[in-house]
Amino acid sequence: MLIADTPYQQVLIRNEFFYDEKSGHGEYTKAVVFGCRAEPARAVMFSAMTEHGAQWARVPIHMIVTKPCDILPVDVVSWWDSYGYNYATLEYKFLRGFSCTALGRDKVIRKGNYLFTIDWMKDGYSEIPDQHKCHHVIALETGQWIAYPNNRLVWNDESWIKPNPQKEWRCPTRIYSAES
Protein backbone atom coordinates (compact mmCIF):
# COMPACT_ATOMS: atom_id res chain seq x y z
CA MET A 1 0.00 0.00 0.00
CA LEU A 2 2.14 2.86 -1.27
CA ILE A 3 -0.34 5.50 -0.03
CA ALA A 4 -2.96 5.66 2.73
CA ASP A 5 -5.33 8.13 4.35
CA THR A 6 -4.34 9.86 7.57
CA PRO A 7 -6.50 11.87 9.95
CA TYR A 8 -6.80 15.37 8.49
CA GLN A 9 -4.29 17.75 10.06
CA GLN A 10 -4.10 21.51 9.50
CA VAL A 11 -0.42 22.36 9.08
CA LEU A 12 2.10 24.73 7.62
CA ILE A 13 4.54 23.54 4.96
CA ARG A 14 7.94 25.17 4.79
CA ASN A 15 8.04 27.14 1.54
CA GLU A 16 11.57 25.97 0.73
CA PHE A 17 9.97 22.60 -0.11
CA PHE A 18 8.04 24.27 -2.94
CA TYR A 19 11.23 25.88 -4.34
CA ASP A 20 13.61 22.89 -4.25
CA GLU A 21 15.19 24.45 -1.11
CA LYS A 22 16.67 27.28 -3.19
CA SER A 23 14.38 30.01 -1.77
CA GLY A 24 11.36 30.46 0.49
CA HIS A 25 13.26 29.83 3.74
CA GLY A 26 11.43 31.14 6.81
CA GLU A 27 8.11 31.32 4.92
CA TYR A 28 5.15 28.93 5.19
CA THR A 29 2.04 27.89 3.28
CA LYS A 30 -1.15 26.76 5.02
CA ALA A 31 -2.20 23.24 4.10
CA VAL A 32 -4.11 20.16 5.23
CA VAL A 33 -2.27 16.83 5.40
CA PHE A 34 -4.64 14.01 4.43
CA GLY A 35 -2.44 11.11 3.35
CA CYS A 36 0.83 9.27 3.84
CA ARG A 37 3.26 7.84 1.28
CA ALA A 38 5.99 5.34 1.99
CA GLU A 39 8.93 4.23 -0.12
CA PRO A 40 11.74 2.05 1.21
CA ALA A 41 14.86 3.90 2.40
CA ARG A 42 13.15 7.31 2.26
CA ALA A 43 11.76 9.49 5.00
CA VAL A 44 8.03 9.20 5.63
CA MET A 45 6.20 11.55 3.28
CA PHE A 46 2.73 13.06 3.21
CA SER A 47 0.09 14.34 0.79
CA ALA A 48 -1.30 17.79 1.42
CA MET A 49 -3.71 20.30 -0.10
CA THR A 50 -2.46 23.89 0.09
CA GLU A 51 -4.62 26.94 0.75
CA HIS A 52 -4.02 27.82 -2.93
CA GLY A 53 -5.66 24.62 -4.19
CA ALA A 54 -2.42 22.89 -5.16
CA GLN A 55 -2.19 19.29 -4.01
CA TRP A 56 1.32 18.07 -3.24
CA ALA A 57 2.55 14.53 -2.70
CA ARG A 58 5.82 13.36 -1.15
CA VAL A 59 6.13 16.21 1.36
CA PRO A 60 8.82 14.92 3.75
CA ILE A 61 8.02 15.05 7.44
CA HIS A 62 10.69 17.63 8.32
CA MET A 63 8.94 20.15 6.04
CA ILE A 64 5.67 19.93 8.01
CA VAL A 65 4.96 22.04 11.11
CA THR A 66 2.00 23.28 13.12
CA LYS A 67 3.53 26.73 13.67
CA PRO A 68 6.67 28.54 12.50
CA CYS A 69 9.80 27.09 14.09
CA ASP A 70 13.44 26.31 13.42
CA ILE A 71 13.92 23.37 11.09
CA LEU A 72 15.26 20.12 12.49
CA PRO A 73 17.27 17.73 10.28
CA VAL A 74 15.37 14.80 8.82
CA ASP A 75 17.43 12.32 10.88
CA VAL A 76 16.28 14.06 14.07
CA VAL A 77 12.58 14.23 13.15
CA SER A 78 12.48 10.52 12.29
CA TRP A 79 14.56 7.70 13.76
CA TRP A 80 13.91 5.44 10.76
CA ASP A 81 13.08 5.69 7.08
CA SER A 82 10.04 3.90 5.71
CA TYR A 83 10.48 0.15 6.05
CA GLY A 84 8.71 -0.60 2.81
CA TYR A 85 5.60 0.01 0.73
CA ASN A 86 3.24 -1.87 3.05
CA TYR A 87 1.86 -0.13 6.11
CA ALA A 88 -1.30 1.04 7.81
CA THR A 89 -2.15 4.41 9.34
CA LEU A 90 -4.38 4.77 12.37
CA GLU A 91 -5.23 7.33 15.00
CA TYR A 92 -5.34 5.26 18.16
CA LYS A 93 -8.35 6.54 20.09
CA PHE A 94 -6.62 5.62 23.35
CA LEU A 95 -3.65 7.89 22.52
CA ARG A 96 -5.77 10.80 21.22
CA GLY A 97 -4.88 13.90 23.18
CA PHE A 98 -1.89 12.30 24.90
CA SER A 99 1.22 14.37 25.34
CA CYS A 100 4.61 12.71 25.39
CA THR A 101 8.30 13.34 25.65
CA ALA A 102 10.51 12.18 22.80
CA LEU A 103 14.19 11.30 22.97
CA GLY A 104 15.91 12.42 19.78
CA ARG A 105 18.93 10.91 18.08
CA ASP A 106 20.69 14.13 19.12
CA LYS A 107 19.98 13.18 22.82
CA VAL A 108 17.57 16.13 23.21
CA ILE A 109 14.24 15.45 24.95
CA ARG A 110 11.33 17.29 23.33
CA LYS A 111 7.64 17.54 24.30
CA GLY A 112 4.76 17.02 21.91
CA ASN A 113 1.28 15.68 21.27
CA TYR A 114 0.15 12.50 19.51
CA LEU A 115 -1.44 12.78 16.04
CA PHE A 116 -1.53 9.25 14.55
CA THR A 117 0.51 6.09 13.97
CA ILE A 118 2.09 4.46 10.91
CA ASP A 119 2.78 0.75 11.33
CA TRP A 120 4.74 -1.44 8.91
CA MET A 121 4.04 -4.93 7.58
CA LYS A 122 5.19 -7.49 4.98
CA ASP A 123 8.84 -6.46 4.88
CA GLY A 124 11.97 -7.99 6.36
CA TYR A 125 12.22 -5.81 9.45
CA SER A 126 8.60 -5.59 10.57
CA GLU A 127 8.34 -9.37 10.90
CA ILE A 128 11.32 -9.67 13.30
CA PRO A 129 10.19 -9.02 16.91
CA ASP A 130 13.15 -6.92 18.04
CA GLN A 131 13.38 -4.97 14.75
CA HIS A 132 9.74 -3.96 14.29
CA LYS A 133 9.21 -0.23 14.74
CA CYS A 134 6.09 1.83 14.19
CA HIS A 135 6.17 5.57 13.62
CA HIS A 136 4.04 7.59 16.04
CA VAL A 137 3.56 10.99 14.40
CA ILE A 138 3.88 13.70 17.03
CA ALA A 139 3.45 17.49 16.80
CA LEU A 140 6.18 18.94 19.00
CA GLU A 141 5.44 21.95 21.19
CA THR A 142 7.84 23.89 18.95
CA GLY A 143 5.63 23.10 15.94
CA GLN A 144 7.83 20.51 14.17
CA TRP A 145 6.34 17.12 13.26
CA ILE A 146 8.32 14.02 14.20
CA ALA A 147 7.86 10.25 13.67
CA TYR A 148 9.26 8.18 16.56
CA PRO A 149 9.06 4.52 17.60
CA ASN A 150 7.67 3.28 20.93
CA ASN A 151 11.06 2.97 22.58
CA ARG A 152 11.85 6.68 22.12
CA LEU A 153 8.62 8.03 23.64
CA VAL A 154 7.28 8.34 27.18
CA TRP A 155 3.54 9.05 27.33
CA ASN A 156 2.03 11.48 29.82
CA ASP A 157 -1.34 11.31 31.53
CA GLU A 158 -1.25 12.82 34.99
CA SER A 159 -4.39 10.94 36.06
CA TRP A 160 -2.58 7.58 36.17
CA ILE A 161 0.81 7.45 34.45
CA LYS A 162 3.86 8.01 36.62
CA PRO A 163 6.68 8.45 34.07
CA ASN A 164 9.59 6.27 35.10
CA PRO A 165 10.28 3.78 32.29
CA GLN A 166 12.25 0.70 33.21
CA LYS A 167 15.57 1.21 31.49
CA GLU A 168 16.47 -2.46 31.93
CA TRP A 169 13.61 -3.60 29.66
CA ARG A 170 14.69 -5.18 26.37
CA CYS A 171 12.91 -5.68 23.04
CA PRO A 172 11.39 -9.14 22.72
CA THR A 173 13.21 -11.46 20.33
CA ARG A 174 10.84 -14.43 20.51
CA ILE A 175 8.05 -15.08 18.01
CA TYR A 176 4.95 -16.30 19.84
CA SER A 177 2.76 -18.81 18.06
CA ALA A 178 0.10 -21.23 19.29
CA GLU A 179 1.11 -23.74 16.62
CA SER A 180 4.89 -23.86 16.89
Side-chain angles (χ1 to χ4, degrees):
M1 174 183 308
L2 175 66
I3 58 175
D5 286 323
T6 64
Y8 303 156
Q9 301 289 330
Q10 292 186 346
V11 300
L12 299 173
I13 298 176
R14 297 176 188 283
N15 277 3
E16 59 259 38
F17 170 76
F18 301 117
Y19 298 101
D20 196 27
E21 299 190 42
K22 295 181 179 21
S23 64
H25 298 275
E27 300 171 358
Y28 302 86
T29 296
K30 290 180 185 177
V32 173
V33 166
F34 61 87
C36 181
R37 179 183 176 100
E39 297 177 33
R42 290 190 183 181
V44 175
M45 299 174 281
F46 297 92
S47 294
M49 178 69 70
T50 70
E51 66 182 330
H52 309 297
Q55 190 268 308
W56 285 79
R58 294 182 170 179
V59 181
I61 190 167
H62 69 298
M63 292 292 175
I64 299 174
V65 298
T66 57
K67 61 185 177 184
C69 60
D70 292 337
I71 192 167
L72 291 172
V74 70
D75 68 332
V76 171
V77 302
S78 186
W79 272 87
W80 312 108
D81 284 337
S82 301
Y83 273 12
Y85 295 109
N86 296 299
Y87 65 96
T89 59
L90 175 70
E91 178 190 22
Y92 283 115
K93 289 178 182 163
F94 179 79
L95 294 177
R96 182 183 297 151
F98 265 63
S99 64
C100 62
T101 54
L103 175 62
R105 180 173 277 125
D106 58 359
K107 307 288 189 235
V108 174
I109 295 176
R110 297 174 174 90
K111 294 180 180 181
N113 293 296
Y114 175 78
L115 299 175
F116 57 91
T117 300
I118 304 165
D119 206 348
W120 307 96
M121 59 190 155
K122 299 181 183 176
D123 60 68
Y125 292 113
S126 63
E127 308 305 322
I128 302 168
D130 63 338
Q131 293 299 311
H132 170 263
K133 309 283 188 291
C134 61
H135 284 88
H136 295 293
V137 179
I138 308 293
L140 293 179
E141 288 180 348
T142 61
Q144 182 67 60
W145 271 24
I146 62 171
Y148 276 30
N150 290 327
N151 64 343
R152 301 298 176 192
L153 298 171
V154 175
W155 300 95
N156 304 310
D157 182 340
E158 293 182 18
S159 68
W160 71 286
I161 294 175
K162 310 291 184 264
N164 185 20
Q166 296 297 318
K167 295 183 173 109
E168 298 82 27
W169 287 350
R170 299 288 177 250
C171 292
T173 58
R174 182 175 169 198
I175 295 173
Y176 296 92
S177 173
E179 297 183 41
S180 59

